[in-house]
Amino acid sequence: MKTKPSTPVVLYWHRTDLRLHDSPALHSALRLNPSIFIPIWTWDPHYVYRARVGPNRWNFLLQCQNDLSASYTKLNPKQKLWVVREAPHTVLPKLWKRWAVTHLVFEKDTDAYARERDETVMELAKEAGVQVIVEMGRNLFDPDEVVKRNGGKPTMSMSQIEKAVGGINSGRPGGVVETPERVPDPWDQERMDLSAVEQEGVDSTGDVNREYRMKEDAQYVKIMGPGEDFGVPTLDEIGIGSAQVSTPHKGGETEALRILEGCIQDEEYVGRFEKPKTSPAAFQPQSTTLLSPHLHFGSLSVRKFWWDVQGVLEDRAKRKKPNASIPTNLPGQLLFRDMYFAAQAAIGHAFSRTYGNKIVRFIDWHLQSTDIATSGKKQPGEKTYTVDSEEAEIWFHRWKEGRTGFPWIDALMRQLKQEGWIHHLGRHSVACFLTRGGCYVSWERGAEVFQEWLIDHEEACNIGNWMWLSCTAFFAQFYRCYSPVAFGKKWDPEGELVRHYVPELAKFDKKYIYEPWKAPIADQKKWGCRVTGDGSQSESDGMKAYPKPMFDFDERRQTCLDSMKHAYDVGLHGDDARVKDGSWREDFEGDENELGNDVEYIS
C-alpha cells in the first residue's frame, strides 16, 4: 500500500483562473513548497451538457487551456494542464487516493452551482484527510464579504457596492502576486497513469448543446481522454466542427496580457475612457478593450487589470491630466461586475430567474418560464417556457436570427452570433427591443440566448444586465426605450455596422439604411435587394431579400409601456406568494398577455 509522503502533494484545481499571473490560489499552492504539484482541470459534465455553450465559447475555452498548458510546460518540461474527464465530486476522491494528495487548492467561485459543488468537494476532502485551501481571485473583492458589509443584502446599485467595498482595504483590491518562475514536478508517468481507475458514467440526457454536435462526442470515452494523455479536449471530441467557429477573438493568457499591455500604453484612452461614450457601432477594431471574456475564463486577472489602470490614472492625476471617474471609467466597469457577483452571492440559484427571486419585479411577459406560466398548476417536466402567443414566439425567433426587419437590431444579433460579442450599448438595444421596448418577451429568453452565444458570458453579469435592461431589477426607468432606428443613426449615420453584418443592405443609401422599407422599389432593385417577406427567404425575384419590419415599433413601444406601468402598479416580485401559487393571473385579467389554458411548452 502506498503511503503519503512527508512533504505536501498539492493538487491544484483550475476552474475560473486559466492563468499563471496574479493567481492568489496558485501562489498559496506553491508557497506550500510541494514535493509534487499537479495542476488539473476536471471536465465537468454539468457545463458540457447542462449549461448553454455555443461553438465560439467552447473554442475560446480550449484556447485558454492550451495556452495555460503550454505555459506550464515552459516552466517545467514535465508539466502541463492535466485534464481529467469526469465530474469533480466523483473523480477528485479517486485522484487523492491514486496520487497520495495532501492538499487541494483552488480559487473561490460564488456562482450558485459552483458553491454547491465546492461544498460537496470540501466535505469529501475532509473525510479523506485532504487539507483544502481556497483563495479569492476571481473578483476585486470577495462577494461574500461585500454582501456582509452590505447588511447581508444583495448589492443593487453602484452606491451600495462603493460603500460596501469602501470598508475593505479602503476600497482597493489586494495587490498583484508574483508570477511563478518554476513549478515542481508531477508524479512519474507510472504514478500519474489513471488507466486502472474506474471512470464514472456520464449522463448526457437533456444535452442543451446537442444542436451543435455534428457527430457523437468523445469527451468521456476515457478518464485521461481519447489519447490517454490528459490532453485538452479538441472541438472534434466535443462533436463540434471547426467550421462552426466564427469568432475572430482569441483566448489565452498570452493574448489577454498582449491586449492589456496595448490598452495601458494608450494612457489617453485609459484616462478618458467612459463606457457610455464608446461607440456600439465600432468594429475592426471595437471601441472597448474586449477583455471581458478573459476576465470570465480567468486568462486575465481582474486585479491586475484594476491595478494597471489605476497606475495610469494616478500618474495622470499627478501631472494634472483629466481622468474619467466612477462609474463610467474602467475601474467603475469592474465595480459593476463585482456588484452583480455580490447580488448573485446573496441570492443563490434564484438569482438566475424570476420565480422565487425577491429582487425581481414580476412582469406579465410573453413566453414566461414554465415555473411562472404554470405556477399553481402541474409542471411540464423539462420544458423551459410556454408559448402563450404564437406571434411573440415568431418575434422571439426572428430577433434571435437577426431578421426582425430593423437593420440596427439585426446587425447586432448577427454580430453576436458570428463573433460571440457585441458592445454593451448594443446589448442594451437588443435587450430593450426584446423585452419592454417592442416584443414584450420574458428577459429569461434573451438571457438564454446570450448564455449560448457570448464568449464573455458571466452568469452573474448576464442575468444582472438582463434584469437591468428589462427594468425588473437594478433600474426602473422603463419609459426610457432604445429606438431601433434613431439610436443606430446617432452612433453610425453612414450605417457601416449594418452594411457589414447585414450585407444584403450594403448598397442602400444612408437615407434608408435604418429604414429600408421606405426606399422606393426602383431604388431597392437598383441596390440589389428587395424589402419583402419575413426573412425566411434570402432571395426575391432573382435578387437578395431583406424582411419588412415585423411590427410597427411606435405602436409596440406604447403597448409595452402601458403594460409595464400596469405591472409596476400591481407591484409583485418573484418571491411573492401570488406569483408562486398562480393567482397573479387575477391581477392581469383582460391584459393582452394573460396566459390561457392552451399553451405550448418549449424545451
Side-chain angles (χ1 to χ4, degrees):
M1 181 177 177
K2 299 182 178 69
T3 59
K4 289 192 176 183
S6 58
T7 53
V9 174
V10 174
L11 192 66
Y12 186 79
W13 185 15
H14 280 281
R15 300 101 61 83
T16 55
D17 56 337
L18 290 169
R19 67 181 184 277
L20 296 182
H21 76 274
D22 187 41
S23 174
L26 179 60
H27 186 69
S28 290
L30 296 177
R31 284 185 63 186
L32 294 169
N33 194 25
S35 57
I36 299 294
F37 174 75
I38 310 172
I40 69 164
W41 176 284
T42 57
W43 199 250
D44 190 345
H46 170 82
Y47 293 113
V48 172
Y49 300 120
R50 305 289 176 262
R52 291 177 174 82
V53 185
N56 285 330
R57 193 154 87 252
W58 277 124
N59 188 64
F60 200 95
L61 167 63
L62 301 184
Q63 289 176 333
C64 289
Q65 292 181 329
N66 279 308
D67 186 73
L68 175 63
S69 190
S71 294
Y72 269 123
T73 304
K74 288 179 181 177
L75 295 183
N76 182 338
K78 297 180 181 179
Q79 279 290 10
K80 61 180 178 180
L81 179 64
W82 305 79
V83 180
V84 184
R85 315 294 183 96
E86 192 174 319
H89 67 280
T90 58
V91 77
L92 287 174
K94 301 173 189 177
L95 302 185
W96 300 333
K97 183 177 181 180
R98 171 67 182 170
W99 293 336
V101 171
T102 62
H103 294 75
L104 173 69
V105 186
F106 55 84
E107 181 176 86
K108 183 175 182 178
D109 187 349
T110 54
D111 281 0
Y113 164 75
R115 195 190 288 274
E116 291 184 356
R117 173 200 63 199
D118 293 350
E119 288 174 352
T120 298
V121 166
M122 287 189 284
E123 185 60 35
L124 292 169
K126 183 178 179 181
E127 294 173 2
V130 174
Q131 184 177 340
V132 178
I133 298 174
V134 184
E135 299 282 2
M136 172 51 61
R138 190 180 184 191
N139 303 94
L140 295 176
F141 305 95
D142 186 334
D144 290 332
E145 180 64 20
V146 173
V147 172
K148 180 181 177 182
R149 290 177 180 272
N150 195 47
K153 298 177 181 179
T155 46
M156 301 299 297
S157 67
M158 180 55 69
S159 61
Q160 288 184 3
I161 185 71
E162 283 191 275
K163 182 179 179 181
V165 304
I168 306 173
N169 194 31
S170 300
R172 297 166 79 84
V176 173
V177 300
E178 60 192 27
T179 302
E181 296 181 355
R182 59 172 297 277
V183 292
D185 292 347
W187 287 113
D188 59 34
Q189 185 175 352
E190 180 181 0
R191 186 71 179 271
M192 289 297 295
D193 182 44
L194 300 179
S195 56
V197 174
E198 184 178 354
Q199 184 183 22
E200 191 83 9
V202 173
D203 180 13
S204 62
T205 305
D207 178 8
V208 297
N209 300 309
R210 59 186 177 276
E211 68 175 282
Y212 293 116
R213 304 197 201 283
M214 301 177 66
K215 54 180 284 188
E216 185 175 352
D217 71 84
Q219 299 170 83
Y220 295 100
V221 293
K222 295 180 180 178
I223 196 168
M224 296 187 293
E228 296 190 281
D229 59 356
F230 296 95
V232 172
T234 64
L235 287 172
D236 187 67
E237 290 169 18
I238 299 173
I240 294 173
S242 58
Q244 293 173 270
V245 176
S246 53
T247 181
H249 308 306
K250 306 300 182 184
E253 179 181 20
T254 302
E255 177 71 3
L257 293 175
R258 183 192 68 79
I259 295 173
L260 178 61
E261 182 180 8
C263 291
I264 296 303
Q265 287 178 351
D266 188 347
E267 70 152 71
E268 192 69 14
Y269 175 82
V270 171
R272 304 299 290 268
F273 181 95
E274 293 184 80
K275 192 70 167 282
K277 294 182 179 180
T278 56
S279 173
F283 65 98
Q284 297 178 349
Q286 71 290 335
S287 61
T288 55
T289 66
L290 225 161
L291 285 168
S292 52
H294 293 285
L295 294 179
H296 168 63
F297 287 109
S299 48
L300 177 67
S301 158
V302 67
R303 304 189 320 170
K304 176 173 173 55
F305 191 1
W306 190 94
W307 279 108
D308 282 7
V309 167
Q310 191 66 21
V312 173
L313 298 181
E314 291 178 0
D315 178 67
R316 286 173 60 86
K318 289 178 182 177
R319 291 183 285 125
K320 302 189 183 306
K321 299 191 74 172
N323 285 326
S325 58
I326 290 175
T328 59
N329 67 359
L330 285 170
Q333 297 307 299
L334 298 179
L335 265 186
F336 268 121
R337 181 174 182 265
D338 268 33
M339 179 187 78
Y340 287 137
F341 269 84
Q344 180 197 46
I347 294 172
H349 281 291
F351 183 76
S352 296
R353 58 180 184 265
T354 297
Y355 189 84
N357 190 342
K358 65 183 180 181
I359 69 171
V360 176
R361 290 181 182 273
F362 177 78
I363 309 294
D364 59 325
W365 306 114
H366 289 305
L367 312 188
Q368 296 272 21
S369 295
T370 53
D371 48 18
I372 292 291
T374 62
S375 53
K377 302 178 182 179
K378 184 178 179 180
Q379 293 290 316
E382 294 183 354
K383 304 299 183 179
T384 61
Y385 73 90
T386 62
V387 179
D388 60 303
S389 163
E390 290 295 339
E391 187 175 50
E393 173 74 346
I394 291 171
W395 290 345
F396 170 54
H397 285 284
R398 288 184 64 173
W399 172 85
K400 181 178 180 181
E401 295 160 9
R403 53 184 184 90
T404 65
F406 294 95
W408 174 247
I409 300 298
D410 294 343
L412 290 166
M413 291 305 295
R414 295 185 196 185
Q415 181 188 22
L416 171 61
K417 185 174 184 179
Q418 290 172 29
E419 301 183 4
W421 181 91
I422 51 176
H423 186 279
H424 95 112
L425 290 179
R427 302 182 197 202
H428 283 211
S429 294
V430 299
C432 180
F433 185 86
L434 181 67
T435 58
R436 61 186 172 85
C439 303
Y440 211 67
V441 165
S442 170
W443 63 266
E444 293 179 59
R445 305 289 75 77
E448 289 168 351
V449 173
F450 274 31
Q451 181 190 39
E452 181 180 340
W453 287 351
L454 283 173
I455 57 173
D456 66 357
H457 173 262
E458 200 98 76
E459 185 73 5
C461 298
N462 183 42
I463 296 298
N465 278 323
W466 273 95
M467 291 181 195
W468 182 301
L469 295 167
S470 62
C471 289
T472 50
F474 299 103
F475 184 71
Q477 298 177 31
F478 61 82
Y479 48 84
R480 296 180 60 183
C481 289
Y482 291 87
S483 165
V485 175
F487 195 67
K489 285 183 177 179
K490 170 188 172 182
W491 285 103
D492 185 13
E494 298 296 326
E496 295 303 322
L497 185 85
V498 170
R499 298 179 198 282
H500 183 79
Y501 293 100
V502 188
E504 58 267 39
L505 298 178
K507 296 181 180 180
F508 272 57
D509 187 274
K510 68 178 183 179
K511 178 180 178 181
Y512 300 110
I513 195 66
Y514 291 105
E515 299 173 285
W517 60 90
K518 292 184 177 181
I521 292 177
D523 285 340
Q524 292 180 27
K525 291 181 177 180
K526 181 176 67 174
W527 297 327
C529 179
R530 286 282 284 112
V531 180
T532 184
D534 62 2
S536 57
Q537 300 294 325
S538 60
E539 292 188 358
S540 176
D541 298 329
M543 64 182 67
K544 295 177 182 178
Y546 179 76
K548 292 182 177 180
M550 62 187 190
F551 49 59
D552 183 302
F553 173 70
D554 290 335
E555 290 182 2
R556 284 302 309 167
R557 176 174 55 186
Q558 189 58 53
T559 298
C560 290
L561 289 174
D562 292 343
S563 298
M564 289 291 291
K565 184 178 185 305
H566 176 61
Y568 265 58
D569 289 343
V570 170
L572 293 176
H573 284 76
D575 66 337
D576 285 336
R578 293 176 65 78
V579 172
K580 293 181 177 180
D581 67 19
S583 60
W584 63 268
R585 296 175 181 84
E586 300 170 8
D587 297 306
F588 297 93
E589 287 182 355
D591 193 90
E592 70 154 313
N593 307 302
E594 181 186 0
L595 291 174
N597 293 320
D598 298 325
V599 294
E600 178 186 357
Y601 299 109
I602 302 295
S603 298

